[in-house]
Amino acid sequence: MMMKGWRRKTVSLILAICLTMAAAGYGNTESNVMESDIEEDNAMESAVIESSDTESSVMKSSDTESSVMKSSDTESEPENSNMENKNKDMEDMTAMGIVNDMKIGWNIGNTLDSTRTDLTRIDAPFKFETAWGNPKVTQELIDSVLDAGFNVIRVPVSWTNHIGPEPEYRITDSWMERVKEVVDYAYDKGAYVILNIHHEDWNYPYYDNLDRASAEMAAVWGQIAEVFRDYDEHLIFEGQNEPRKIGTPLEWNGGDAEGWEVVNKTNKVFIDTVRASDGSNPYRMLMIPGYAANCSVGIQHIEVPENDNRVIISVHAYEPYDFALNKDGRSEWNHDTEEIDRLMRDLQTLFLDKGTPVIIGEFGAMNKDNESARAEWAEYYVSAAKKAGVCCIWWDNGLFEGDGERFGLFDRHTYECRYPQLLDALMRGVE
């Protein structure tokens, strides 16, 4: 009874204090005004941060998510299980084993690799993504490609328009977030994803550009590696696309000693940067090209790092050129297998026999109103590559009409394959 009386007195005292504070002007009214002011200030600050060139919310978000995962070992698994390294850092995996598990791949060309000189770093990502005539990538598009039988999606990305000034070379957050979203469309479905740097205007292979290119290479790949640090073996990094001396007679002929050496050095910067980062990156599968990803002269000069069985050679090969890539060339294949057979022999001798796998990151035969001929060619091409242990990735730039290089395979609007006969031939070739 005494305890109950004490409680009643305590309650009465608290009520009296509250009434006194209300009468004095304290309480909810001032608190609400202060909260409103704080919210307004916070909103203004957020708007400034969102438009700033130096914002880094993607990196912080990745760090936070990783920290949460590390600190919750005794609790339930996080909702985003995709950020968990399911294969325990891939210590027991090799690049050869991963490539052998690949079937056939598809490029999202002329999309995230598109560039625009009239846009700024902080413009909306979709303006860049759609700059070359293709619509935004959707989950439905990726699902259609995977349902058709592909299990590798290459995501070409041009970063130049989204990189800030030296020495940080900070990538715009909105662009990194969009790249991550597209990667996840395929990664979340269990497909292999190849993420690269594509049309860059800073990694030209000249001696006098080596220091600058190396610094930017390290900065860019350091940021990419951090964001994707906990993705498993299904995510592969490709250090460069076609590094070459643009606009010179050496651009496409396989290069020269300077070009070969500089590409090898920047490849090493890429590998060292990723290997020095944390998460799964010390064990991640990495792809490196030779000069211009050239399939004849360039491949003769690629330096494969020693004591690293998680490196893959990247080659681009539209063979035979006159049929596959030359717009003014022939539309009939004529069962011309010589260049295809030579390529596979070279890849076998230079790399595969030495334990280094190869991915033909871009291949295809452009549409010349010759689907039957392309189908025959495609079946032979991917079959020869499969026998050699090489995975092929079709270059799809979304182009079906006009005078350009018409490598379109899947309609980006309807998600249907425009050339079912060609698609069937590709799938037969990898059976």
Side-chain angles (χ1 to χ4, degrees):
M1 293 294 293
M2 290 179 62
M3 182 63 69
K4 291 180 180 179
W6 179 83
R7 286 177 177 171
R8 283 196 296 270
K9 291 179 180 180
T10 301
V11 171
S12 298
L13 180 59
I14 292 172
L15 289 173
I17 292 172
C18 291
L19 290 172
T20 302
M21 292 176 65
Y26 295 101
N28 291 338
T29 302
E30 182 171 333
S31 175
N32 289 341
V33 170
M34 292 174 65
E35 290 176 1
S36 176
D37 290 341
I38 291 171
E39 289 174 359
E40 183 176 352
D41 290 343
N42 286 342
M44 293 176 64
E45 183 177 0
S46 297
V48 171
I49 291 174
E50 288 174 1
S51 64
S52 170
D53 287 352
T54 58
E55 63 177 349
S56 57
S57 62
V58 171
M59 307 291 287
K60 292 178 180 178
S61 175
S62 178
D63 289 342
T64 302
E65 189 170 36
S66 177
S67 300
V68 170
M69 291 175 65
K70 290 180 180 178
S71 64
S72 61
D73 290 341
T74 59
E75 301 174 1
S76 59
E77 293 185 2
E79 291 184 3
N80 188 2
S81 60
N82 293 315
M83 294 304 291
E84 180 184 274
N85 180 16
K86 301 184 177 75
N87 288 279
K88 307 304 179 188
D89 287 335
M90 303 173 268
E91 295 96 333
D92 298 327
M93 297 181 179
T94 66
M96 189 71 78
I98 295 299
V99 174
N100 287 339
D101 191 48
M102 294 178 173
K103 183 180 178 183
I104 189 169
W106 180 79
N107 275 278
I108 315 176
N110 286 21
T111 308
L112 292 178
D113 55 317
S114 303
T115 59
R116 283 276 292 269
T117 58
D118 59 330
L119 297 175
T120 66
R121 291 181 58 238
I122 59 174
D123 275 315
F126 80 88
K127 293 183 179 180
F128 293 95
E129 186 175 349
T130 60
W132 289 357
N134 282 314
K136 289 181 63 177
V137 181
T138 64
Q139 182 70 65
E140 291 78 10
L141 172 64
I142 300 303
D143 289 348
S144 296
V145 174
L146 298 180
D147 289 345
F150 296 86
N151 74 335
V152 185
I153 302 294
R154 184 170 179 255
V155 185
V157 179
S158 295
W159 303 86
T160 292
N161 291 143
H162 313 278
I163 299 173
E166 60 181 333
E168 292 84 6
Y169 298 108
R170 175 63 61 190
I171 298 170
T172 309
D173 288 353
S174 58
W175 185 248
M176 183 70 85
E177 289 166 359
R178 178 55 180 160
V179 171
K180 182 178 181 298
E181 185 175 36
V182 173
V183 167
D184 287 346
Y185 289 157
Y187 179 85
D188 288 350
K189 295 300 179 96
Y192 289 102
V193 182
I194 299 171
L195 177 62
N196 80 345
I197 65 172
H198 207 79
H199 297 299
E200 312 302 337
D201 65 3
W202 47 267
N203 67 332
Y204 298 153
Y206 295 93
Y207 289 133
D208 61 5
N209 188 49
L210 177 58
D211 289 344
R212 183 188 182 282
S214 296
E216 192 156 356
M217 179 78 72
V220 169
W221 274 113
Q223 293 171 76
I224 298 171
E226 176 62 23
V227 169
F228 294 97
R229 62 194 296 275
D230 293 314
Y231 283 53
D232 67 20
E233 78 279 3
H234 288 86
L235 179 62
I236 297 165
F237 293 158
E238 181 182 17
Q240 306 185 70
N241 177 53
E242 294 171 346
R244 62 195 189 276
K245 297 183 174 183
I246 294 178
T248 75
L250 294 167
E251 183 169 4
W252 295 116
N253 72 351
D256 58 4
E258 179 185 43
W260 305 327
E261 183 177 359
V262 173
V263 170
N264 284 326
K265 287 183 179 297
T266 48
N267 278 341
K268 187 177 186 304
V269 171
F270 156 66
I271 293 173
D272 290 347
T273 299
V274 176
R275 293 286 181 249
S277 56
D278 56 6
S280 298
N281 293 318
Y283 300 94
R284 188 166 308 287
M285 310 303 159
L286 305 178
M287 289 175 64
I288 57 172
Y291 178 96
N294 178 269
C295 67
S296 56
V297 178
I299 57 175
Q300 308 288 334
H301 302 278
I302 299 175
E303 291 183 2
V304 181
E306 298 179 358
N307 303 318
D308 192 336
N309 62 2
R310 296 175 177 85
V311 172
I312 304 166
I313 300 303
S314 176
V315 176
H316 297 175
Y318 300 84
E319 301 288 354
Y321 169 79
D322 198 44
F323 170 77
L325 187 58
N326 185 0
K327 289 187 289 185
D328 299 321
R330 53 192 163 91
S331 59
E332 293 299 323
W333 175 41
N334 298 326
H335 298 280
D336 178 7
T337 69
E338 181 179 355
E339 293 304 310
I340 299 172
D341 295 339
R342 176 202 55 77
L343 171 63
M344 300 309 164
R345 287 194 303 269
D346 287 349
L347 297 178
Q348 192 83 47
T349 302
L350 290 168
F351 307 112
L352 295 160
D353 288 347
K354 299 175 183 178
T356 301
V358 177
I359 291 177
I360 298 178
E362 293 182 15
F363 89 110
M366 71 172 64
N367 173 35
K368 299 175 183 176
D369 297 322
N370 58 341
E371 184 178 2
S372 295
R374 289 201 295 162
E376 291 182 0
W377 166 88
E379 184 171 356
Y380 185 88
Y381 192 113
V382 297
S383 177
K386 181 177 175 61
K387 290 176 183 176
V390 175
C391 175
C392 300
I393 306 180
W394 181 273
W395 176 252
D396 187 336
N397 58 9
L399 192 61
F400 297 92
E401 309 295 338
D403 297 328
E405 298 176 347
R406 297 184 290 174
F407 284 101
L409 187 61
F410 283 86
D411 189 308
R412 307 285 180 92
H413 299 277
T414 66
Y415 311 136
E416 295 180 353
C417 178
R418 290 272 197 99
Y419 304 107
Q421 185 180 354
L422 174 58
L423 176 61
D424 289 345
L426 289 169
M427 295 305 155
R428 284 196 305 271
V430 294
E431 288 179 354

